[in-house]
Amino acid sequence: MNVKNYVVYAAAWMVIAASADEKKSLVDYFLPMEPRGALVSEGIWGDPNVLPRDINNGLEDAKLENWCYWDGRIVQSDDGKFHLYASRWPQSMAHGVGWKAGSKGMHAVSNHIMGPYKDQGLIYPQWQGGRGHNLIGLRMHDGRYAVVTSEITEGEIFVSDTPEGPFELLGKIEVDENGFNKGLARYTNRESPSYGHMSNVKVLLRHDGRYMIIPRSTAPMVSDEGILGPYKIMNGRIYENYPDLPQTQNEDPTVWYSGGMYHVVYNHWPSKTSHHFSSIDGITDWKYRGIAFKKDETKIFRYTDGTVNDWQYIERPTAYLDEQTGHVTHFIFSVIDVKKGQDRANDNHASKIVVVPFDGEAFDRDMQALVKAEKEAE
């Protein structure tokens, strides 16, 4: 973190601390999970560190009859139902093989945002057998539903008039490098089979009517021409002005707009640490807001009775924003009970998608106060 930014940041937090017992970071706004059913230990997969757990929270194949689940974003339809667009692969594949060779885009539905979500099958089976990863869903500006796939595909978007489909290929995301390194948007290693692919793509409907992408690099990209782009690379990596933060091995960004500002959380996977940034315009002046959560220091997955599930890997965070209130109310995570290399074919280990409630109203209030204090301290 450069000295000027650090001084302003510290001064602002001193103002906030004057009216609060302690400085808060994003992790402090996660709330305990109200179980959607009894916490279960017997007859389900998982190491003791994730038992007992609520198998009705989110999406999982509790008895490992078929699938491992990953990725995802929740979209609410006009009838009040919640639709989770994510990826899955056969549990007969090890994790390291499944996400690369067997991952396909799928759709699940629930009457409650916390779950349980019921697997409805593949989203677009007519295209490459449904192949897809880094799956997310969203509502477009015109009200249609869209799903996005990247990483093991080039970066395609499928659309439908209804949340159930059928989803048809709209096209591939286009990028305008705009004078920046093209590697900020797509893989550039020509020796890799994924050369030219986008990765970790998160699409956001901006408050100004444009579309925005935060890819794996975290470089903001904006389209004035619609959801397919072309997206202009508008800036470099959001953390590049903070040399004390890891500059490589970062992934899995999520982006949202609330409280009059844009937020990005991304994961530094070797340290299992996620970092939080904010910006007023979503393009420039990204400010570091501290550690969002850290695997061995913060416990996100705690239930109202005090039980804690200690997942080995916590990845693919995605914020769910309530359109009525304008606040984030939940986050979803892809989690696995053991190290990825220890999740083998037809064993007792797997991955699932977990939904965690979040006090977005308090978060936005405190962030607005922080930004105001920063301006006063300049």
Side-chain angles (χ1 to χ4, degrees):
M1 184 183 298
N2 63 50
V3 175
K4 180 181 178 182
N5 284 341
Y6 179 82
V7 170
V8 173
Y9 177 64
W13 268 120
M14 288 177 65
V15 175
I16 299 299
S19 60
D21 293 333
E22 60 181 16
K23 169 184 167 183
K24 286 187 175 182
S25 61
L26 186 138
V27 72
D28 296 308
Y29 298 91
F30 286 100
L31 301 172
M33 300 178 291
E34 181 71 39
R36 299 293 296 157
L39 301 186
V40 181
S41 294
E42 300 297 326
I44 62 172
W45 59 267
D47 262 15
N49 51 296
V50 298
L51 299 174
R53 71 170 179 275
D54 179 11
I55 61 174
N56 290 307
N57 175 299
L59 176 64
E60 74 167 283
D61 185 346
K63 296 185 177 181
L64 277 188
E65 296 174 336
N66 294 295
W67 311 111
C68 294
Y69 294 101
W70 202 253
D71 296 319
R73 182 190 275 170
I74 296 170
V75 179
Q76 187 174 24
S77 54
D78 295 336
D79 61 3
K81 291 184 178 180
F82 297 91
H83 300 263
L84 175 57
Y85 301 97
S87 66
R88 74 182 191 193
W89 57 85
Q91 64 86 21
S92 57
M93 292 181 169
H95 183 95
V97 175
W99 79 262
K100 295 178 182 178
S103 184
K104 297 185 177 184
M106 57 77 58
H107 168 220
V109 181
S110 176
N111 291 321
H112 192 284
I113 190 170
M114 296 284 290
Y117 284 84
K118 184 176 181 181
D119 190 329
Q120 304 294 298
L122 301 183
I123 303 171
Y124 45 84
Q126 77 283 1
W127 187 82
Q128 296 191 19
R131 181 173 173 80
H133 198 63
N134 286 176
L135 253 291
I136 65 165
L138 69 150
R139 293 290 293 271
M140 298 167 60
H141 282 300
D142 62 10
R144 287 183 296 169
Y145 296 81
V147 294
V148 185
T149 170
S150 59
E151 184 64 41
I152 67 170
T153 68
E154 294 185 58
E156 293 80 11
I157 295 179
F158 298 79
V159 299
S160 172
D161 291 331
T162 70
E164 295 84 8
F167 282 84
E168 301 293 340
L169 177 65
L170 182 66
K172 185 169 65 176
I173 297 169
E174 299 179 14
V175 176
D176 178 351
E177 295 163 16
N178 196 29
F180 289 88
N181 187 325
K182 62 183 178 182
L184 293 173
R186 295 183 180 275
Y187 286 132
T188 57
N189 180 3
R190 292 185 180 276
E191 297 178 357
S192 170
S194 62
Y195 169 70
H197 288 195
M198 300 190 77
S199 178
N200 293 177
V201 170
K202 291 288 176 67
V203 179
L204 179 71
L205 280 64
R206 287 178 56 91
H207 74 288
D208 58 13
R210 297 185 290 174
Y211 286 94
M212 178 176 180
I213 283 178
I214 297 292
R216 183 170 185 164
S217 71
T218 72
M221 303 164 56
V222 175
S223 167
D224 298 312
E225 305 297 331
I227 194 168
L228 285 180
Y231 286 85
K232 287 186 177 181
I233 302 176
M234 305 298 290
N235 213 330
R237 295 173 174 86
I238 65 172
Y239 47 80
E240 63 185 11
N241 292 326
Y242 294 82
D244 291 342
L245 293 176
Q247 298 295 300
T248 61
Q249 299 178 306
N250 296 309
E251 63 179 9
D252 289 353
T254 188
V255 58
W256 73 94
Y257 179 82
S258 67
M261 68 192 79
Y262 291 84
H263 299 271
V264 166
V265 169
Y266 67 86
N267 179 40
H268 179 246
W269 62 264
S271 65
K272 299 181 181 179
T273 304
S274 292
H275 299 280
H276 173 212
F277 278 77
S278 74
S279 165
I280 298 300
D281 66 8
I283 297 172
T284 60
D285 198 25
W286 286 95
K287 290 183 169 60
Y288 183 51
R289 301 306 184 188
I291 292 175
F293 38 86
K294 186 176 177 64
K295 194 272 177 186
D296 292 326
E297 296 179 5
T298 53
K299 304 302 180 185
I300 298 172
F301 308 102
R302 66 187 187 278
Y303 297 97
T304 50
D305 70 353
T307 300
V308 174
N309 292 153
D310 186 18
W311 295 96
Q312 181 63 232
Y313 278 91
I314 306 165
E315 300 186 1
R316 308 294 293 147
T318 303
Y320 175 81
L321 188 104
D322 186 295
E323 297 296 337
Q324 299 299 317
T325 66
H327 302 300
V328 172
T329 61
H330 297 78
F331 273 75
I332 68 171
F333 298 90
S334 300
V335 296
I336 185 171
D337 63 321
V338 292
K339 293 181 178 179
K340 293 178 181 179
Q342 295 175 342
D343 176 14
R344 302 183 176 90
N346 298 311
D347 64 3
N348 194 45
H349 305 299
S351 57
K352 70 167 288 184
I353 298 167
V354 179
V355 184
V356 183
F358 184 81
D359 189 354
E361 183 176 359
F363 171 79
D364 286 337
R365 181 188 64 236
D366 292 347
M367 284 298 304
Q368 288 170 342
L370 174 59
V371 170
K372 180 180 178 181
E374 285 177 339
K375 290 181 178 179
E376 294 173 350
E378 289 179 348

